Amino acid sequence: MTTKRIAIIGECMIELSEKGNNVSRGFGGDTLNTSVYIARQVPTNDLAVHYVTALGTDSFSEQMLASWQQEHLNTDLIQQFADKMPGLYYIETDDTGERQFYYWRNDAAARYWLLREDSAHICQQLAQFDYLYLSGISVAILDKQSREKLIKLLMECRKNGGKVIFDNNYRPRLWQNREETQQVYHDVLSCTDIAFLTLDDEDLLWGEEPYENVIARTKALGVSEIVIKRGADSCIVATDEGLEIIPAVKLPKEKVVDTTAAGDSFSAGYLSVRLQGGSVVDAAIRGHLTASTVIQYRGAIIPLAAMPVV
């Protein structure tokens, strides 16, 4: 059996996370989180997980590469720029596990991955992949020229038989205005096969409305599989076969330590089943299980030993 390939495109940053008076350092970013949690749940012989970003040549970047390789992520499509570094973010977490983020990323290397000389060759390779995964943040950090190149890549991949997976992950501070975001999301979703839509983000971007309207709007753009994420509530999966509502795992409040990467890990759990031919119900159950485990630990990436046994 031929090993399938998924490329997950985005940005990883240096993560500083506080616990009381202590601050710990790690690495995180929405797409990196998803990459790690997919790689941990799918045999490498079945699915090769490639992370696609840009880094510097500094010690932080080298540590990132080494840690990703230990997680069995393929890093051969990652560019390194001598004149750039990764971005940085700081997480404050309150007593309920909710978090506040602070970012320093305006000149991060990942913003330039489609602008340097190796990008054309990398895009030629990515166009042959089975799956391309990206998030709203993957697109938000790019300039207009890079976004146009990215859309062209997504279209080329689909033309070659690949599938595009998009997680809306809307962060207003990364965008000029809502109108710009709506247009870019329209363009990306128009070449998307599987969409993960956090309902709170959809409401923030388009205005609050019933989830049925969100599904109808997304279906109209040609998306064939829509996963509505609603935090601790049931998720909703809409396909051509109909609608499924899958309950989330309910945790006591005292077990929720840090909700960082909850949505990212849900998407990873879902895809770890779905891309191996599992049903949308089984995929959503795995998504809920993965997310409910992750939020019981501090930081975006939990210890490997803490992963749920399935």
Side-chain angles (χ1 to χ4, degrees):
M1 185 179 71
T2 304
T3 301
K4 293 194 172 183
R5 298 181 298 168
I6 182 171
I8 300 183
I9 301 167
E11 177 186 26
C12 181
M13 292 175 286
I14 302 163
E15 174 193 272
L16 300 178
S17 179
E18 72 172 34
K19 182 180 181 182
N21 293 324
N22 298 318
V23 176
S24 60
R25 195 203 76 201
F27 304 118
D30 63 334
T31 50
L32 186 277
N33 303 335
T34 300
S35 299
V36 169
Y37 290 125
I38 291 176
R40 287 183 176 183
Q41 297 183 79
V42 181
T44 54
N45 289 338
D46 294 339
L47 184 69
V49 183
H50 293 248
Y51 193 55
V52 179
T53 190
L55 296 172
T57 55
D58 53 278
S59 61
F60 295 114
S61 296
E62 295 299 336
Q63 289 171 42
M64 284 182 180
L65 287 171
S67 67
W68 301 345
Q69 289 160 2
Q70 288 178 355
E71 292 283 358
H72 304 293
L73 298 183
N74 290 275
T75 59
D76 52 310
L77 298 179
I78 293 176
Q79 301 172 80
Q80 290 186 264
F81 308 141
D83 60 338
K84 301 295 176 188
M85 288 184 65
L88 179 147
Y89 70 104
Y90 189 98
I91 306 172
E92 283 183 342
T93 309
D94 66 21
D95 294 339
T96 68
E98 288 302 317
R99 71 274 193 216
Q100 176 74 37
F101 292 89
Y102 303 90
Y103 293 95
W104 295 264
R105 73 196 311 176
N106 287 343
D107 197 40
R111 291 178 174 268
Y112 302 92
W113 82 271
L114 280 163
L115 295 176
R116 299 294 176 98
E117 60 184 38
D118 288 341
S119 64
H121 178 61
I122 289 171
C123 286
Q124 286 175 359
Q125 295 180 69
L126 291 174
Q128 303 300 323
F129 270 57
D130 299 285
Y131 308 102
L132 298 182
Y133 177 105
L134 68 159
S135 77
I137 296 174
S138 309
V139 187
I141 64 172
L142 303 177
D143 65 9
K144 186 174 185 294
Q145 179 186 355
S146 296
R147 288 174 187 166
E148 291 171 354
K149 288 183 178 180
L150 181 60
I151 295 295
K152 183 178 177 182
L153 166 62
L154 302 182
M155 294 172 65
E156 191 68 23
C157 181
R158 292 183 92 202
K159 191 164 75 172
N160 292 334
K163 290 190 173 183
V164 173
I165 305 163
F166 178 65
D167 189 313
N168 66 347
N169 221 350
Y170 173 48
R171 299 294 178 265
R173 74 186 73 184
L174 295 178
W175 296 90
Q176 298 263 346
N177 51 61
R178 286 175 60 193
E179 291 72 28
E180 176 197 46
T181 316
Q182 289 172 356
Q183 183 58 57
V184 173
Y185 275 42
H186 178 281
D187 295 343
V188 173
L189 286 165
S190 294
C191 40
T192 291
D193 298 280
I194 302 175
F196 291 99
L197 305 177
T198 299
L199 193 57
D200 287 345
D201 289 358
E202 286 292 291
D203 290 346
L204 194 59
L205 178 58
W206 300 95
E208 192 168 343
E209 57 186 342
Y211 72 78
E212 293 90 348
N213 292 13
V214 174
I215 291 170
R217 180 179 65 241
T218 309
K219 270 191 174 180
L221 296 174
V223 182
S224 58
E225 187 167 330
I226 302 162
V227 185
I228 304 291
K229 297 188 285 187
R230 302 191 297 171
D233 294 327
S234 303
C235 76
I236 300 159
V237 184
T239 65
D240 293 339
E241 284 70 49
L243 207 67
E244 298 284 356
I245 300 177
I246 303 94
V249 176
K250 295 297 183 183
L251 291 175
K253 283 185 179 180
E254 62 271 16
K255 286 206 166 187
V256 178
V257 174
D258 184 354
T259 56
T260 303
D264 310 329
S265 58
F266 174 92
S267 299
Y270 185 96
L271 292 172
S272 70
V273 170
R274 193 70 174 127
L275 300 189
Q276 293 189 93
S279 70
V280 298
V281 172
D282 288 343
I285 290 171
R286 176 74 67 85
H288 285 311
L289 175 62
T290 307
S292 66
T293 303
V294 167
I295 64 176
Q296 296 182 60
Y297 295 83
R298 197 167 296 280
I301 305 294
I302 67 174
L304 179 60
M307 291 294 294
V309 178
V310 294

